Amino acid sequence: MSDTPVEKPVNFIRNIIDADLAENKHDSIHTRFPPEPNGYLHIGHAKSICLNFGLAQDYKGQCNLRFDDTNPTKEDMEYVESIKKDVQWLGFDWSGDICYSSNYFDKFYQYAMELIDKGLAYVCFLNAEETREYRGTLKEAGKNSPYRDTTPEENRALFEKMKAGEFEEGKCVLRAKIDMASPVMCMRDPALYRIRFAHHHQTGDAWCIYPMYDFAHCISDAIEGITHSLCTLEFQDNRRLYDWFLDHLEDFNKPDRPHQYEFSRLNLEYTMMSKRKLHQLVDDKLVEGWDDPRMPTISGMRRRGYSPASIRDFAERVGISKVDSMTDMAILEAAVRDDLNVNAPRTMGVIDPIKVIIENYPENGSIETIDAPVHPQNESMGTRQIHFGREIYIDRADFEEVKPNKKFQRLAIDKEVRLRNAYIINGTRCDKDADGNITTIYATYDPDTLGKNPEDGRKVKGVIHFVEASKAVPAEFRLYDRLFTVENPAKEDDFEAVLNPNSLEIKHGFVEPALTQATPEQGYQFEREGYFCRDNKADTLVFNKTVGLREVWNK
RNA sequence: UGGCCUGUAGCCAAGCGGUAAGGCAGCGGGUUUUGAUCCCGUCAUGCGAAGGUUCGAAUCCUUCCAGGCCAGCCA
């Protein structure tokens, strides 16, 4: 091992941090991951988690986990628990205690008062529709609210009444007084506070006014001493407001205050990252739940068999930039395969079984035990015991009655094949049912080919996997395909119409006996089939297919 | 002539005036008891387009084209 740290790929945010540190703008960096607890985290959040926590690690700084909980009508404790679990599972730890924007509700209120006193905020009684009309359009300036010139004294009293619950929901809002003609829409006197008589998962019924994102976020960052506030591209306009609030609040208008930088969110082919739409899939029961292995959620990917390391590696491979991009699924799959290829124990599972009777094997019911490597490229992983006998199962796809072409490397009548970790067999004949489906295959084996090639020098090209019949353990296999049939389902008017009807295929087959001990999240390679892990919910033996092996030969 | 942002290979992405990194995918070959892995080789006379500045431009300037985001009392 060398002690030079692994070089992380450069990106524009690292360049900014390097420059800030070089100028002594900050002594060290402090980032934050600020999810709203209104749904489960997905692979797009994982990108942000890896960025924020990863930066803190690499620069020996800090990273907070902060729940951005300013809208009690959409949030729930179920989500805060799942988010904590997912962040830890990904391998990250937050600095200090978990933060909540709601921790700062008192302070937000005081800062709102400061703006009111400075004549920079006012209570507006325009209703939602009127507010929209007054806002103008992208090309036309808005017009001032009739409540815009209320005195600070009156606004102070009005805002106190709002807090005291003396106005009904929707009656009024607190607004910043900025510029109704600004070309940046969010600067046209944005709302700071709205009235919501809603129970909050952290503050209970203490408040009936709740701050808006733009007001709360920058102040939360400033309070926590965040240096680099990283968010996605759609917040680029909001940066104007972010800076405006910090400019006008005495506590924060200082050189070392936080700055917001935006990077592009992750888009992955054949799936989507919209929390609202993922919510809909769950609510409409089109998937099993947030942790359905077909979902791009962290909990779904965990159940599917993705390791934390593979997700971190994926985040590193796609990088950070400001380009609105669509990432190829192959990059994700390559990341898991690279991890599992090194770390997954090898085993054999027959997904679509068909029985093979070895005609020249003793009929006395004896079976033999063979030591097979757990990993052919890594002896230190040891060996496991497999079995061989007169009756075995192979996969239906590994037999053709008549060898179809020269390239065919599997079993056929009068064609030899190597049984992985065991003997060479030769197909002799097969039984069929009335419909012509093959029911049993008969073969002979060469007893002198265990662990070695035939002495007579003949070459046997193909290798197929098998499980000895009497020791085989029944198992269910769940094979997954992309959730959607189109590259960018989020663009569809009705994304549910474009769901892949074949995204889940269930098969019943057999595995090696040792797999009854398999635990969820331990990835296995079923040789020649792909990577699987035991399902973390099923009571019986169920294996979820994480990803297949690369297959270049039939493309 | 509303504002902001972005265009480098099929996909992701470095590059910041000195002559196009890397990964994924692809292609060709070698090893192999997984059609896997591994190994070797190959893959942009070109950086959205056109002009210009310069000894020299993906990098600077001008114009144009394409795409994304913004009109929640959501985040």
Side-chain angles (χ1 to χ4, degrees):
Chain A
M1 294 294 273
S2 99
D3 19 51
T4 49
V6 181
E7 286 292 316
K8 289 292 179 66
V10 300
N11 60 53
F12 77 98
I13 292 174
R14 284 174 181 269
N15 292 342
I16 289 168
I17 291 173
D18 290 339
D20 287 349
L21 258 17
E23 292 170 20
N24 292 313
K25 199 162 158 185
H26 311 283
D27 296 331
S28 65
I29 66 159
H30 203 332
T31 56
R32 102 268 93 115
F33 173 62
E36 182 186 17
N38 66 346
Y40 280 63
L41 262 25
H42 54 58
I43 181 75
H45 294 109
K47 173 180 175 179
S48 176
I49 290 167
C50 292
L51 207 219
N52 281 292
F53 285 95
L55 248 18
Q57 261 169 17
D58 296 343
Y59 285 89
K60 303 199 188 324
Q62 298 196 284
C63 181
N64 293 359
L65 171 61
R66 179 168 76 229
F67 288 101
D68 206 352
D69 56 349
T70 57
N71 186 354
T73 63
K74 291 190 173 179
E75 298 154 8
D76 194 279
M77 277 306 285
E78 176 193 354
Y79 304 124
V80 346
E81 292 307 329
S82 74
I83 289 167
K84 284 194 260 185
K85 177 179 177 178
D86 288 348
V87 170
Q88 287 179 314
W89 179 79
L90 273 175
F92 296 105
D93 256 316
W94 42 87
S95 308
D97 294 335
I98 288 178
C99 304
Y100 295 85
S101 299
S102 56
N103 289 161
Y104 319 128
F105 279 179
D106 285 314
K107 291 185 177 182
F108 295 151
Y109 183 76
Q110 287 160 22
Y111 291 124
M113 279 297 194
E114 180 181 339
L115 293 178
I116 289 172
D117 290 342
K118 287 179 168 169
L120 294 173
Y122 61 97
V123 175
C124 178
F125 289 86
L126 253 25
N127 64 32
E129 195 180 325
E130 291 165 334
T131 303
R132 195 183 329 120
E133 285 162 9
Y134 273 71
R135 188 156 31 230
T137 68
L138 293 177
K139 295 187 178 180
E140 294 162 24
K143 55 185 179 184
N144 288 169
S145 162
Y147 305 94
R148 203 172 197 261
D149 295 316
T150 311
T151 65
E153 292 68 31
E154 287 175 273
N155 281 135
R156 193 169 243 282
L158 256 13
F159 189 46
E160 279 168 355
K161 280 187 168 185
M162 274 177 70
K163 178 177 186 265
E166 292 180 33
F167 297 118
E168 62 194 68
E169 232 172 72
K171 184 72 184 170
C172 57
V173 293
L174 182 72
R175 288 229 255 170
K177 189 196 283 191
I178 305 181
D179 178 9
M180 288 307 291
S182 172
V184 180
M185 296 303 285
C186 72
M187 298 298 276
R188 322 247 264 222
D189 289 12
L192 269 46
Y193 268 94
R194 75 290 216 183
I195 299 169
R196 288 284 179 279
F197 290 95
H199 185 83
H200 188 286
H201 52 98
Q202 300 299 318
T203 60
D205 298 311
W207 295 83
C208 65
I209 55 171
Y210 291 94
M212 300 290 289
Y213 164 85
D214 286 303
F215 183 61
H217 204 90
C218 55
I219 296 176
S220 301
D221 284 345
I223 290 172
E224 293 173 14
I226 301 304
T227 55
H228 301 264
S229 181
L230 312 177
C231 62
T232 43
L233 254 29
E234 65 271 26
F235 290 99
Q236 288 178 124
D237 284 352
N238 301 253
R239 187 177 64 242
R240 294 283 199 92
L241 242 192
Y242 187 103
D243 291 335
W244 189 90
F245 287 125
L246 298 188
D247 281 344
H248 294 280
L249 262 7
E250 299 304 319
D251 283 352
F252 306 128
N253 190 6
K254 297 182 292 195
D256 64 346
R257 67 196 226 179
H259 286 273
Q260 174 183 306
Y261 302 96
E262 311 86 14
F263 61 95
S264 45
R265 62 190 306 152
L266 176 71
N267 293 302
L268 243 195
E269 283 180 349
Y270 300 104
T271 186
M272 59 193 184
M273 300 303 162
S274 159
K275 256 202 243 180
R276 203 202 96 238
K277 289 175 180 170
L278 293 177
H279 232 297
Q280 194 179 322
L281 289 177
V282 173
D283 292 345
D284 294 354
K285 306 251 188 297
L286 296 167
V287 292
E288 225 183 88
W290 286 101
D291 63 350
D292 187 301
R294 292 167 294 183
M295 291 281 272
T297 51
I298 295 181
S299 51
M301 293 175 72
R302 172 166 60 228
R303 191 173 167 196
R304 172 92 171 243
Y306 281 82
S307 61
S310 69
I311 294 175
R312 281 186 247 120
D313 185 34
F314 169 69
E316 201 156 289
R317 291 185 191 206
V318 297
I320 297 293
S321 75
K322 304 183 71 153
V323 184
D324 186 40
S325 58
M326 177 65 71
T327 296
D328 195 327
M329 279 293 287
I331 296 179
L332 213 210
E333 293 179 345
V336 229
R337 285 198 190 103
D338 282 0
D339 178 24
L340 263 13
N341 174 48
V342 172
N343 297 307
R346 304 295 108 129
T347 184
M348 293 193 283
V350 178
I351 294 172
D352 187 7
I354 184 164
K355 186 170 278 185
V356 179
I357 295 174
I358 313 293
E359 296 179 293
N360 60 339
Y361 199 86
E363 286 185 67
N364 58 11
S366 69
I367 59 170
E368 59 193 283
T369 299
I370 299 168
D371 285 324
V374 171
H375 190 125
Q377 279 82 42
N378 184 354
E379 260 185 51
S380 72
M381 289 174 81
T383 60
R384 85 244 192 217
Q385 294 195 321
I386 63 167
H387 308 280
F388 184 73
R390 185 176 166 84
E391 298 193 1
I392 64 172
Y393 293 109
I394 67 167
D395 198 278
R396 190 166 289 273
D398 285 337
F399 177 76
E400 293 285 344
E401 192 172 0
V402 178
K403 180 179 170 180
N405 58 57
K406 273 213 159 72
K407 293 225 175 183
F408 186 76
Q409 297 183 17
R410 289 163 275 172
L411 184 67
I413 289 174
D414 292 329
K415 184 195 170 298
E416 283 188 303
V417 78
R418 160 75 65 181
L419 288 176
R420 177 70 168 159
N421 297 125
Y423 301 92
I424 287 172
I425 61 171
N426 189 30
T428 52
R429 62 194 173 93
C430 63
D431 291 341
K432 294 180 193 171
D433 64 16
D435 298 323
N437 300 312
I438 295 164
T439 52
T440 309
I441 299 166
Y442 298 87
T444 56
Y445 84 121
D446 182 341
D448 199 28
T449 53
L450 182 61
K452 58 180 181 181
N453 289 125
E455 306 255 309
D456 61 12
R458 69 185 197 278
K459 296 280 180 249
V460 176
K461 192 74 172 88
V463 180
I464 64 172
H465 58 284
F466 75 100
V467 181
E468 193 281 325
S470 70
K471 293 283 190 182
V473 177
E476 177 175 318
F477 299 92
R478 296 183 185 163
L479 313 178
Y480 302 102
D481 196 359
R482 51 181 63 133
L483 228 201
F484 294 94
T485 57
V486 298
E487 263 190 31
N488 190 2
K491 274 274 177 286
E492 300 293 313
D493 294 328
D494 177 12
F495 67 89
E496 292 188 354
V498 84
L499 274 165
N500 178 5
N502 305 312
S503 59
L504 169 62
E505 185 183 3
I506 295 178
K507 305 289 272 183
H508 293 275
F510 298 98
V511 297
E512 292 180 22
L515 284 184
T516 52
Q517 304 304 314
T519 52
E521 295 189 38
Q522 168 63 248
Y524 289 92
Q525 185 195 97
F526 286 129
E527 288 188 289
R528 298 209 318 129
E529 291 289 358
Y531 297 99
F532 290 74
C533 78
R534 185 167 185 174
D535 188 72
N536 62 15
K537 279 191 162 170
D539 297 325
T540 55
L541 245 202
V542 173
F543 289 94
N544 293 318
K545 184 173 183 176
T546 309
V547 66
L549 263 23
R550 229 168 128 245
E551 286 184 290
V552 290
W553 56 283
N554 62 353
K555 277 181 184 171

